[in-house]
Structure formats: C-alpha cells, structure tokens
Amino acid sequence: MARRPASSGPFDKLRAGSLAPIEVDLSRCVRCGLCLPHCPTYTVTGLETESPRGRLYLIKAIAEQRIEATPTTVGHLDLCLQCRNCEAVCPSGVPYGRLMKSARAEILANGRTPLAWRLRALFLREVIARPGRMAALAGLLRLYRASGLRWLAERAPYLRDRVVLAPSISGPTFRPDQVGALAQPQSKARGRVALLTGCIMPHAFGRVHEATVRVLARNGFEVVAPPGQLCCSALHSHNGDRPTARALARHNIDAFLEAEVDAVVVNSAGCSSAMKEYPQLLADDPDYAEKAERLAGLVKDVTELLAELPLEPPSGRIEADVTYQDPCHLAHTQGISRAPRELLAAIPGLRLVEMEHADRCCGSAGVYSLAHRQMSLDLLDGKMREIAATGASVIATANPGCIVHLEAGLRRHHLPGRVVHVVELLDEAYRQAGEAYRSPHSPYNTDA
Ligand code: SF4
Ligand code: SF4
C-alpha cells in the first residue's frame, strides 16, 4: 500500500504528538480476541473488520500511514456503536471508547469524512445543540405522530422498515420552572441537587423528568434545574465533533458549578457518562481542566444516587414481570448494573426476569439507528426475541435512546407491553401508595 506524504491526512496531530496518549492506548491491545463475542456488530457480521480488534488494527494502520483512510476504512469505524462492551471485557484495559472518539475527531477534522457523517455533524451542531431549533424539531416530530402519519407509514410495506426507527414525540414538554412545583421534599433533608434537563429529554420524556423530580423529592432532595444548561455533548463527542462537544461542556460546567449543588443528577445514561468524561474532553484546557474534574465529581446517574441511599421504601405494589435492559453507557462505561436492579427489587410485587444478553446494545446508540438502519434493526430484532422469551410485560431501562428504540421494537414485533425508565416504576410505586404528588402533566396524575 502506498505511503502518503507526512502531514497530509488524518492523524497528523496524532503523529505530531498532540494526541500522543492514543499510541500508548493502541499498543495495549494484544489481539487476544476475547472482546469479539461481546461485540454486537461482530456477532451480526462475523467480520474481523467489524470487531473491536479489527477496528483497533485499522486505527493503528491509518495512524502509521500503512493504509489510507478511505471511505471503506472509515465506514468500518463508523459502523461501531461505541457501546464499549469490548472495553468492559478487555483484560488488557484497552480504553476503546477514548480511542474511537479520538480517531473520529481526527477523521472529521481532516475534512475527507464521508458526506453522511459530515451532515450528521452539521445536524447535531446546528439543531441538537441549539435549544430553540431543537424545540422546533420536537414540534414537527409531535405533529408527525399526532397526525397519524407514523401509524400509516409503519403499515406500508415499502416504508415500514424505513420509518420504524424514526423518533416521534407525544406528551407535553417539561419546563424547568415545573421543578419547584414537583419537588416537595417529603422526608429528612438530604441535600440539594441539579437536574440535567438535556436536549431531547424535555420534549420526548417530560414524564421521566417529572418522575425523577418526584422520586428525588420523596427521598429528601431539593431539586433545581439550572437555566443556563445545554445539551451534554455526548452525541457530538461520539460523532467526532470535538470543538462543539468542548464548547457545550464548558457551558454546562459554568451553569452547574454556579448552582452550588451537592450533586448533578442525570436520568439519561448516555448523558451521565458524557459528563463524567468532561475531564478527558477538556484535559488540555487550562481554564477548564480543574473545573471539569470538579463537575465530574458531582455527576450521578439517578439510579446510582438512589441506590446509594437508604431508599424511602415504596409501599405501593406493581404486580408485573419486568425485564431490565442495561444501557451500554451505564453498564459498560460507568460500571453501573446492580443499582437499577436493586431499585427494581425494592418495589413490592415486581418480579425481575432477566433476559439473555441484557447488557448487549439494543441498536439505538444515539443517532446510530438513523445512520445505520439495517444493523440497528438486526440488533433490535435479536433484542426483541430475547425480551419476548422472558414473558415480561414491562421493559425497564435507564436511557431515553433505549426507550425509543425498544418501543419501536414492540411496535415492529406486535408485542404487548410498555417500556419505562426505572425511576418511572419507582414513582408509580410511591404514587400507588397514595403519596401526595403534584404533577401538571404526568400520565399517572390523578389529582391535577
Ligand atoms: S481489545 Fe482487549 S480483548 Fe480485544 S483483542 Fe485487544 S486486548 Fe484482546
Ligand atoms: S464499541 Fe461496541 S460495536 Fe464498537 S467495537 Fe466495541 S463492542 Fe463492538
């Protein structure tokens, strides 16, 4: 393979030493292959190039200028879900997530990235990162669902597979000024926490935010939602748009540190993971490196925070078989898999039925399901078969992307049941016990 002249392509910065740690990271892979059976894209394709080991080899070969970063090569990296199951099982401690993010950042910055990838970056930067435009998009998605177009499209043979993964929205938008009305501490005061409201969450999952605030209040927390906050930057970081990710991170650090809270609570696993990695993102920023460490130290996934408490025991019963899907960015990047199960086990009547491969990616992975529809559908179909085998009527998880994707799976496979966040079940159990709540919008509301 012809060598390209030095400093003419991707990874120039890497070679120049500004990302030197990546070389050390790459050298830690001993090519043992233990990660392969845990990689969703490898299990579907059986191809080495779609495995963690194969992708690490490609990154190394590009960095060493032994191969070109052609669209085909870059395509293998792009098909990675960044689920980090490989990282969780690797005996050599290869920091796969950090490597893949660095590689993508270099490829995107180089400007020879495939058009679809660049368009994705543009959409994430110009829409998802901007609350006003995000609200407008949410309005369109709400209309799409309310008009019945989704119902029709999902029944048209040609369109069915093409639209089933498209997000749609129902229910009212969560507003930060609702927090005060929802958060009435009802046990001994445990502290003051800030809620990350996020980009899509307030529009698509207002009900999860409401449940989160009520459950935190029930457990003695004063909850605030700092008004200056923006999207956590997870999607931008995964897509390789490091400048936008860094700008969002700096903005959030200022907003949350200013709030002077005991913890920053996040109910989206992808977002809590991204915020805990702000120190990595801003390590070379002299003004923000220390602040990023401070903020990351405050961030708690909501399941993590609640499981650490002596939880106020819910006395309402939920008589249901529930299966739990581990969000990749909770189980693999944060190592949190017991906490959500302990919370579910605390609910009287609830029977937790484990599915096979609960920690294998469902195929959602942020905007992956829109970019790689067929792989995403293959993974979703496998996941729904494993869920159906449990006989559970409720699927619990802890990430909005997983909820949207698994709901699409229920519709696609004509399965009964519902998908909820773990905190929604806790909230339901508290409410069934006749706890006093105020909720202007909750679907469980009986007193508004
Ligand atoms: S990433 Fe880890 S588990 Fe996978 S081949 Fe390399 S050393 Fe082995
Ligand atoms: S992050 Fe997930 S999809 Fe990507 S190589 Fe690792 S296990 Fe496979």
Side-chain angles (χ1 to χ4, degrees), residues 107-129:
I107 290 168
L108 188 63
N110 175 258
R112 294 196 308 169
T113 322
L115 180 63
W117 190 336
R118 276 185 277 138
L119 288 176
R120 220 157 60 212
L122 184 71
F123 169 73
L124 294 174
R125 185 175 66 244
E126 298 302 329
V127 180
I128 300 291

Side-chain angles (χ1 to χ4, degrees), residues 28-36 52-53 56 86 89-94 96:
R28 288 163 78 169
C29 176
V30 295
R31 303 189 194 157
C32 64
L34 289 174
C35 52
L36 267 61
R53 182 174 62 184
L56 290 171
C86 49
V89 299
C90 173
S92 294
V94 176
Y96 183 90

Side-chain angles (χ1 to χ4, degrees), residues 81-405:
L81 295 141
Q82 297 187 79
C83 68
R84 289 164 73 170
N85 205 341
C86 49
E87 184 172 324
V89 299
C90 173
S92 294
V94 176
Y96 183 90
R98 185 163 74 198
L99 277 165
M100 181 54 82
K101 277 193 270 188
S102 297
R104 288 182 179 217
E106 291 302 318
I107 290 168
L108 188 63
N110 175 258
R112 294 196 308 169
T113 322
L115 180 63
W117 190 336
R118 276 185 277 138
L119 288 176
R120 220 157 60 212
L122 184 71
F123 169 73
L124 294 174
R125 185 175 66 244
E126 298 302 329
V127 180
I128 300 291
R130 295 172 183 264
R133 293 176 189 175
M134 187 63 236
L137 175 64
L140 291 175
L141 293 173
R142 193 171 272 117
L143 191 63
Y144 167 62
R145 179 159 172 173
S147 67
L149 274 177
R150 186 187 81 171
W151 189 92
L152 279 175
E154 288 187 0
R155 277 151 189 80
Y158 175 75
L159 287 177
R160 193 166 41 220
D161 280 0
R162 288 172 168 73
V163 300
V164 72
L165 299 180
S168 62
I169 289 179
S170 67
T173 292
F174 177 86
R175 300 185 318 271
D177 61 13
Q178 277 176 246
V179 168
L182 293 166
Q184 307 292 323
Q186 291 168 36
S187 68
K188 67 176 170 28
R190 281 188 166 124
R192 185 166 181 267
V193 298
L195 177 74
L196 174 82
T197 49
C199 51
I200 187 81
M201 280 289 285
H203 306 289
F205 291 100
R207 66 175 214 253
V208 178
H209 276 347
E210 288 192 2
T212 301
V213 175
R214 284 193 297 263
V215 168
L216 288 169
R218 179 69 183 80
N219 282 279
F221 290 101
E222 180 193 349
V223 188
V224 295
Q229 60 177 299
L230 290 173
C231 167
C232 73
S233 80
L235 297 173
H236 309 82
S237 185
H238 291 161
N239 201 49
D241 186 355
R242 201 189 287 263
T244 304
R246 284 163 64 98
L248 289 168
R250 288 189 196 102
H251 190 95
N252 284 333
I253 287 169
D254 289 337
F256 283 104
L257 289 183
E258 201 172 291
E260 295 184 348
V261 289
D262 301 306
V264 175
V265 181
V266 186
N267 56 16
S268 161
C271 308
S272 50
S273 169
M275 293 181 84
K276 286 180 182 180
E277 290 184 347
Y278 280 176
Q280 201 183 97
L281 189 62
L282 296 168
D284 60 351
D285 185 326
D287 296 326
Y288 278 86
E290 181 273 329
K291 288 196 253 181
E293 292 280 359
R294 225 170 345 125
L295 181 73
L298 292 174
V299 173
K300 291 273 185 194
D301 189 86
V302 66
T303 59
E304 179 186 15
L305 179 79
L306 291 170
E308 282 172 4
L309 302 173
L311 188 76
E312 289 293 321
S315 50
R317 296 183 69 80
I318 296 181
E319 295 288 351
D321 290 339
V322 177
T323 193
Y324 176 71
Q325 162 68 17
D326 285 285
C328 302
H329 285 258
L330 198 59
H332 304 143
T333 70
Q334 301 183 62
I336 299 172
S337 54
R338 280 181 56 185
R341 289 176 170 83
E342 286 170 5
L343 296 175
L344 292 172
I347 298 173
L350 186 149
R351 295 170 296 279
L352 182 61
V353 194
E354 291 287 354
M355 71 176 90
E356 226 188 317
H357 304 123
D359 69 344
R360 183 171 291 170
C361 182
C362 63
S364 170
V367 291
Y368 184 97
S369 57
L370 303 179
H372 300 289
R373 180 166 43 87
Q374 194 52 55
M375 176 61 77
S376 188
L377 283 173
D378 287 346
L379 293 170
L380 179 62
D381 291 345
K383 181 63 65 183
M384 297 319 292
R385 280 193 290 275
E386 289 169 345
I387 287 172
T390 66
S393 59
V394 180
I395 309 165
T397 188
N399 189 57
C402 309
I403 298 178
V404 169
H405 208 58

